[in-house]
Structures are given as C-alpha cells and as structure tokens.
Amino acid sequence: MTRARDDAHGLTARETAVVDRLEAGDDRNAIAATFGVTRATIDVMAQRYVISGVQLNGFDAMVRDGSRRLAKAVAATGGCFR
C-alpha cells in the first residue's frame, strides 16, 4: 500500500487525492471516472474522511451544551469543586 508523503492519518496517496478533490467541491462522478472507481467508492471515502458542516455544527452544539452544564455544576458548588 502506497502512503501519502505527509501521511498523518493513514490515508493512501490515492485516498488523499480523492479527499482533496472532494474538499475542492469536484463532482463525485468525475472523481470516480478519474480514478477508475465507482461512484459508490467515492461516496464511502467521503463518508469516512470528509467532515461536513453539519457534523461540525453538531459537534459545536455538543460542546456548548457540555460547557453550559459544567458552568451550572461549578456554580452549584459555590464556584469550587474537588
């Protein structure tokens, strides 16, 4: 298996190239044709390796909720906790 030069996450060079094209907004059918794979393969790579705005918004909401709950818990202890 060939690895990308700056491989920090275990992606092959081909996977890295596909992700780069996905992040650039290229058409998934065109990407599939370029790499000689099916559209379904590109869809799987996108699902595994590309973080969407929806996912980021969900994570942001989760962090904000956790921060609010922590602030309430700290306030309930009088501002200190052990």
Side-chain angles (χ1 to χ4, degrees):
M1 180 184 300
T2 303
R3 298 284 180 185
R5 284 178 296 155
D6 58 345
D7 175 358
H9 302 289
L11 298 180
T12 65
R14 181 172 161 164
E15 289 167 334
T16 300
V18 168
V19 169
D20 287 346
R21 300 245 339 243
L22 286 166
E23 290 178 343
D26 291 356
D27 178 71
R28 290 183 183 193
N29 291 319
I31 297 170
T34 299
F35 291 97
V37 298
T38 64
R39 163 68 188 255
T41 298
I42 300 302
D43 291 342
V44 168
M45 287 183 182
Q47 181 181 15
R48 288 183 181 167
Y49 307 130
V50 178
I51 298 174
S52 71
V54 171
Q55 290 168 315
L56 290 175
N57 289 338
F59 181 76
D60 183 58
M62 182 180 65
V63 169
R64 288 176 188 270
D65 179 58
S67 296
R68 279 191 294 272
R69 288 186 291 134
L70 177 60
K72 285 181 184 179
V74 170
T77 67
C80 62
F81 55 92
R82 298 169 215 256

